[in-house]
Amino acid sequence: MAESYARMLPDASYEAPLDLAMIGHFVAQLAKDARVLDAGCGAGRMIDYLTQLNPSLHIEGVDLSPAMVEVARAAYPDVRIKTGELGALSYQDGEFDGVLAWYSLIHCPSEGLGPIFDELYRVLAPGGVVLTGFQSGEGEWLSTRPYGHIVELRSFLRSTDQMARCAESAGLVVIARLDRGARKNDRHSQGFILARRP
């Protein structure tokens, strides 16, 4: 689905103003030349927006899908992007000042969230921040034709309270949270958690 996904969601224009405000608040926590990991970067659609907010950021990307990584590398040849699992990141301890996990945890079952948040904590430098966005609610939903392809794509809904507990269990301190109601073109409400490594 990588090329179809990139065509349908090429940039940050789908996001609501409140969503973008949370990303802006995330970037405002960072130094001018901060190191940022786009964790679950997909086809790289948020890289350009992060760069617009702060052209001096040193951005890297990682995604589980080799096809998504290939599309992202083609779009952003100057950005280091590699294939990897969020629960087993191949980065050094404290390598990043910020981690953006933008709708990259929504396909992960609840039992997998703990190891992922532990890894996000590990790769953050002390004082670093992580922002995660997700569809909020309870239960799960199955899409059978995502982005025009016949394939099953399962997503899990979680509340900001649940995601905050996951962050805190990993040792992070939640500094902001936002619940946004669904727009006409949203299937679900949305949630956002911003947390800092002490």
Side-chain angles (χ1 to χ4, degrees):
M1 300 186 303
E3 292 185 2
S4 299
Y5 176 90
R7 284 193 301 270
M8 296 177 72
L9 290 173
D11 51 33
S13 59
Y14 178 82
E15 269 65 26
L18 277 174
D19 308 353
L20 298 178
M22 283 299 291
I23 298 176
H25 188 53
F26 163 74
V27 172
Q29 310 302 307
L30 304 171
K32 183 178 180 181
D33 58 349
R35 303 156 299 166
V36 174
L37 178 64
D38 189 348
C41 64
R45 72 186 188 93
M46 301 311 296
I47 292 173
D48 187 57
Y49 188 70
L50 290 170
T51 303
Q52 289 176 37
L53 292 175
N54 181 350
S56 299
L57 292 176
H58 301 287
I59 302 172
E60 297 193 26
V62 61
D63 198 88
L64 181 64
S65 165
M68 287 286 195
V69 168
E70 183 179 349
V71 172
R73 284 175 175 166
Y76 301 96
D78 296 330
V79 178
R80 183 183 175 201
I81 302 170
K82 60 183 180 180
T83 305
E85 295 186 23
L86 298 188
L89 293 170
S90 59
Y91 299 102
Q92 299 296 316
D93 293 358
E95 189 167 341
F96 296 99
D97 303 297
V99 175
L100 179 66
W102 198 248
Y103 292 85
S104 54
L105 308 184
I106 61 174
H107 305 299
C108 178
S110 295
E111 60 269 19
L113 288 178
I116 290 176
F117 273 98
D118 287 343
E119 279 292 89
L120 300 185
Y121 176 95
R122 182 185 66 79
V123 302
L124 273 177
V129 289
V130 57
L131 173 64
T132 181
F134 47 94
Q135 288 123 358
S136 61
E138 296 182 356
E140 59 185 76
W141 62 282
L142 180 68
S143 178
T144 56
R145 289 192 64 88
Y147 311 106
H149 292 260
I150 301 175
V151 62
E152 290 189 354
L153 187 62
R154 191 174 305 276
S155 300
F156 299 89
L157 306 177
R158 299 182 176 97
S159 68
T160 49
D161 285 342
Q162 288 174 300
M163 294 297 277
R165 286 195 296 269
C166 289
E168 291 165 349
S169 293
L172 297 162
V173 177
V174 174
I175 57 176
R177 68 174 73 190
L178 172 67
D179 287 287
R180 174 176 70 73
R183 300 171 293 176
K184 289 182 179 179
N185 56 341
D186 290 328
R187 184 186 296 265
H188 304 286
S189 298
Q190 313 293 309
F192 308 92
I193 293 290
L194 180 65
R196 186 184 306 279
R197 175 174 174 171

